[in-house]
Amino acid sequence: MKKFYIETFGCQMNVHDSEKVIGTLVTDGYKQVETFEEADLVLYNTCSIRDKAEQKVFNRLQNFKKAGKGKTFAVIGCVAQQEGEKIFEKAPHVSLVAGSASYGKLSQLLVQIEKGDKRVTGLTFDANEAFETPMTRRDNPHRAYITIIEGCDKNCAYCVVPFTRGPERSRTSESIIREAHEIVAMGYTEVQLLGQNVNSYRDPSPAGYNFAQILRAVAEVPGMRRVRFTTSHPRDFGKDIVDVIADNPVICNHVHLPVQSGSSRVLEGMLRSYTRDEYMRRIDWMKNCGQDIALTTDIIVGFPGETEADFEQTLSLLDEVEYDSVFSFKYSKRPNTPALSLDDHMDEDEKSRRLSILQEHQRQIQIRRNAGYVGRVEEVLVEGFNKATGQWIGRTGQNKTLNFLHHSGDENLTGTYLHARVTRSGPNSLTGESVVQ
Ligand code: 5AD
Ligand code: SF4
C-alpha cells in the first residue's frame, strides 16, 4: 500500500482542504503516515498570504531534498496556484503542483505520475463547483469544519487570495445541511462554517439561501450545540446576521470581522469598500443586540502610504471597539496585487515599530477586558488536559480558552460540556474552577 505524509501551512481553509485531500487519498487506497521518512508521497499544502508563509515551503523542500530521494513530492494549495510551473525550476524534485480548485481531480493527477509523467500540474479554475469528497478525514476531534463558499471576488489591493483561490463558488444549501447532519451523526456537536468571505454566500440551488439563512439552518440541525463561522467581510456583513446570532443560542457569540485599518483613507487605498464609520455601524449592531458578542479582527500595519496619523487612527479604533483578540501583520508585498504599484512602500523597521506598538496597546485592552470575566460562570467545551498544571482546557462560546480545575473524579472530561467559574484572567486566557449547575 502506498503511504503519504502531508504537512499543512496557513489558515483553517487549508487545514480543512487537507482533511478533504486525506479523505480522497484514503478512498484511493493510500495510507496516511505520521512521519516524512515512512512516506512514498509527500504533500505540502501551502500558504502564500504573506512572503514569510510562502518561504516556509521552499525551506522545507530544500531541507528535505536529500532525505526525500525516491519519494514523490507534491506542492499543493496557494503557493502552488500562485507560482505554478516555476516551482519545478526552484525545486526540481517536485512532481506535482496543484491549486485548491484542482483537488477534485487529484486522483487523476497522481495516476499520471504513476504512469511516469515527471511533472504534473493542476492549475486551472475550470472547476465550477466547490470541492466535495465522498469522505473527509476530520482531524480535529472537537470541531468539524464545513466549507460553504470557496474563493473570493473582493480584490483587496494587498491580497493574493483572489489569485490563489479563484472566484467565489458557493455550495448548495442541501449539500451543506446534509454534511451538518452527517457531522452530528459522527458525534460532533460543534461546527465551523468556512469561506474566505462567508457573508457573500449565495445558495446556487432553488432554495436560494443567503448567509444568515444557511447559518440558521445549520444551527437548527438536531444535536448541534455550537456553530461558528469565519471569515467575514464587513461590506457583506448585514444586520440580518446579527439578528440570527442574537436569536439562536446555538450560534456562538463570537464574530471575527477583519477591519485591516482604522483610517478611512487607508481603507480606500486598500480597496476595502467601507469607511471606518460604516465598519463601526456593524460593531454597534453587535454591541446593541442584547448578547455579549466577542469581537476579533485582523489588522495590517504599514500599508503603502500609511502615515503616523493613519496608524494612530487604528490605535483609536482598537480603543473604541475593545476587541477580545487581534491578529496583526506587517504589510507584505504579494505578486500580481494592485498595491504593488503604489508609491511610499514603508521600510521594515518602521513596520516592525508600528506592529509592536499596536500589539502592546491591544495587550492592555485584553488584560482589561478579560478581567471583566472574573466571577462569571461560563459554559465550556473541554478540549483536553494539561498535565503540567493539572488543569482541564476548555473553550467558551466566545472562543476564549478557560483553563480550569475539576475536583471530583478521574473521569475523562474531553469532549464534554460543563460550567466553570472564572477566578483569574490574563491577556490571552482565563483560569477557573468547574461548578455544578
Ligand atoms: N500583507 C500582510 N497581511 C496580509 N493579509 C492579507 N494579505 C496580506 C498582505 N499582503 C492579512 C489580512 C487578512 C489576513 C488573513 O491576512 O489581515 O485578513
Ligand atoms: Fe489560506 Fe489565504 Fe494562506 Fe491560502 S493564502 S492558505 S487562503 S490564508
Side-chain angles (χ1 to χ4, degrees), residues 207-232:
Y209 285 17
N210 63 20
F211 177 62
Q213 289 166 322
I214 193 71
L215 186 58
R216 183 193 298 272
V218 171
E220 285 173 353
V221 168
M224 196 67 85
R225 290 194 59 173
R226 284 184 170 180
V227 178
R228 304 179 183 278
F229 57 93
T230 199
T231 266
S232 294

Side-chain angles (χ1 to χ4, degrees), residues 137-185:
R137 221 299 300 279
R138 295 186 190 276
D139 257 347
N140 184 325
H142 314 292
R143 190 180 287 185
Y145 298 115
I146 303 185
T147 309
I148 64 166
I149 177 169
E150 302 207 27
C152 181
D153 288 344
K154 288 292 175 289
N155 297 310
C156 300
Y158 50 80
C159 190
V160 79
V161 171
F163 305 98
T164 60
R165 288 189 168 269
E168 285 175 357
R169 289 98 67 202
S170 293
R171 274 175 73 185
T172 64
S173 52
E174 290 88 342
S175 126
I176 294 168
I177 294 166
R178 192 183 331 117
E179 194 174 353
H181 277 98
E182 282 165 13
I183 278 167
V184 171

Side-chain angles (χ1 to χ4, degrees), residues 49-50 158-160 258 260 298-300 329-334:
I49 193 84
R50 285 168 292 275
Y158 50 80
C159 190
V160 79
Q260 313 299 356
D298 292 345
I299 304 250
I300 297 177
F329 313 101
K330 291 190 275 186
Y331 167 73
S332 165
K333 286 185 187 171
R334 300 285 66 212

Side-chain angles (χ1 to χ4, degrees), residues 9-11 13-14 46-49 78 160-161 164-165 196:
F9 304 90
C11 63
M13 290 289 284
N14 263 16
T46 58
C47 172
S48 68
I49 193 84
C78 295
V160 79
V161 171
T164 60
R165 288 189 168 269
Q196 295 302 332

Side-chain angles (χ1 to χ4, degrees), residues 9 44 46-63 79 82-83 90 332-335:
F9 304 90
Y44 294 122
T46 58
C47 172
S48 68
I49 193 84
R50 285 168 292 275
D51 188 53
K52 242 198 202 156
E54 180 180 335
Q55 289 320 317
K56 277 189 194 156
V57 65
F58 291 111
N59 293 340
R60 273 298 185 286
L61 286 168
Q62 193 52 39
N63 295 345
V79 177
Q82 180 192 297
E83 296 296 296
K90 288 194 199 170
S332 165
K333 286 185 187 171
R334 300 285 66 212

Side-chain angles (χ1 to χ4, degrees), residues 23-89:
T24 304
L25 292 175
V26 170
T27 308
D28 284 353
Y30 282 81
K31 180 178 185 304
Q32 186 180 12
V33 291
E34 295 305 318
T35 64
F36 171 90
E37 288 75 19
E38 291 170 83
D40 311 302
L41 169 65
V42 176
L43 300 113
Y44 294 122
N45 189 2
T46 58
C47 172
S48 68
I49 193 84
R50 285 168 292 275
D51 188 53
K52 242 198 202 156
E54 180 180 335
Q55 289 320 317
K56 277 189 194 156
V57 65
F58 291 111
N59 293 340
R60 273 298 185 286
L61 286 168
Q62 193 52 39
N63 295 345
F64 285 91
K65 190 174 169 182
K66 249 199 187 147
K69 269 220 157 66
K71 299 186 196 295
T72 302
F73 281 90
V75 176
I76 62 172
C78 295
V79 177
Q81 192 67 52
Q82 180 192 297
E83 296 296 296
E85 300 192 357
K86 277 189 266 170
I87 292 178
F88 297 132
E89 286 157 37

